[in-house]
Amino acid sequence: MADLTLKQSLEAMDVAGYLRQHPRFLEHFPDIAAELVIPRENGPAASLAAYQLETLRARNRELNERLAELVAIAGDNEQLMVRVHTLTVGLLRDDNLAHVLKSFVGALNEDFHTDLVRVVLFRDGADLPRADWLICVPEGKQALPAFTDFLARGEPACGRLAQEKLDRLFGPDAGKVHSVALLKIGNEGMLAIGSNDPNRFHPGIGTLFLKLIAQALDAAIARFTTG
């Protein structure tokens, strides 16, 4: 019985292979085409031509759905690019570092709909605004040992952070943060964007626009860096 089943399986594969190599086979044997049982979800199809047409329509629907999905993604990316450009132009217009930081955080909150933002700068903040979103660390990165590995790599980190890091960045608001995008601002510091949504930032998320935002802030800060 096993040998018979194997033989039948091999014969079926041989037939399938032959038909793939000779797609016009049924033109010469129309009686076989008439006897074939064509599979269909809701009963047999009326004919081979009807089955092929139905298959093509199904593929067409899938392609149209995929195209609509790609168009939607392209539209979202275009809107994001416009917002990043607007943010960058706004930073170029500010005439001091305090205004740069206020404009930047305001744009993230209003245009990018962020929940919590923290800008960490490795400098003295005597001339900068006192705000929950600004953390000045004049001692530099050596004063933040929990972030040593992140600062050494330099790549964005997205997802959940250890509680120690959350507490250092968000203080009493740490309990509200369920996902984070953490970015290096050149050699100037770090940018942390916290979200109440655990799925907003995750390890697989694209980071291109996040990098552009961090680079824009780095360039804006550099305009007011002496030495």
Side-chain angles (χ1 to χ4, degrees):
M1 180 65 69
D3 292 340
L4 178 59
T5 302
L6 178 61
K7 183 178 179 180
Q8 290 175 338
S9 176
L10 291 174
E11 288 177 350
M13 288 189 291
D14 290 340
V15 172
Y18 181 85
L19 291 175
R20 289 191 180 96
Q21 294 176 8
H22 303 83
R24 305 181 73 89
F25 174 82
L26 294 179
E27 288 184 359
H28 305 292
F29 299 91
D31 57 315
I32 295 179
E35 295 177 7
L36 288 175
V37 177
I38 308 301
R40 188 178 180 184
E41 291 184 3
N42 298 319
S47 67
L48 178 61
Y51 175 69
Q52 291 175 325
L53 180 59
E54 183 178 334
T55 301
L56 289 174
R57 285 175 176 170
R59 290 180 181 175
N60 188 53
R61 285 193 297 270
E62 291 177 3
L63 290 175
N64 284 336
E65 290 173 0
R66 180 58 179 159
L67 178 59
E69 181 181 339
L70 291 174
V71 169
I73 292 173
D76 291 341
N77 286 342
E78 182 179 2
Q79 292 179 14
L80 271 174
M81 184 60 73
V82 169
R83 290 200 289 268
V84 172
H85 175 71
T86 301
L87 180 148
T88 303
V89 171
L91 295 180
L92 291 174
R93 290 173 176 163
D94 291 318
D95 56 5
N96 62 64
L97 183 54
H99 289 165
V100 164
L101 297 175
K102 288 180 180 178
S103 296
F104 178 80
V105 174
L108 287 187
N109 289 332
E110 296 174 15
D111 298 333
F112 293 87
H113 309 295
T114 54
D115 295 322
L116 291 167
V117 176
R118 293 295 184 267
V119 178
V120 180
L121 296 181
F122 301 144
R123 63 166 64 206
D124 180 80
D127 57 340
L128 298 178
R130 293 183 178 275
D132 292 339
W133 48 261
L134 180 61
I135 302 172
C136 291
V137 185
E139 301 85 0
K141 58 185 179 181
Q142 61 270 18
L144 299 172
F147 297 92
T148 298
D149 291 343
F150 165 74
L151 292 171
R153 289 194 306 269
E155 286 298 312
C158 296
R160 297 183 179 182
L161 290 184
Q163 191 62 46
E164 178 186 6
K165 295 179 181 178
L166 287 176
D167 291 339
R168 185 65 180 88
L169 291 170
F170 298 99
D173 292 323
K176 303 176 183 177
V177 180
H178 299 291
S179 65
V180 179
L182 183 62
L183 302 105
K184 188 177 178 182
I185 309 173
N187 294 318
E188 301 289 345
M190 300 184 296
L191 169 65
I193 305 174
S195 175
N196 302 330
D197 182 356
N199 298 314
R200 179 163 187 185
F201 300 113
H202 54 83
I205 194 174
T207 59
L208 172 61
F209 292 107
L210 292 171
K211 288 180 178 179
L212 292 177
I213 289 171
Q215 289 170 3
L217 179 58
D218 182 30
I221 293 174
R223 294 167 54 212
F224 306 102
T225 300
T226 59

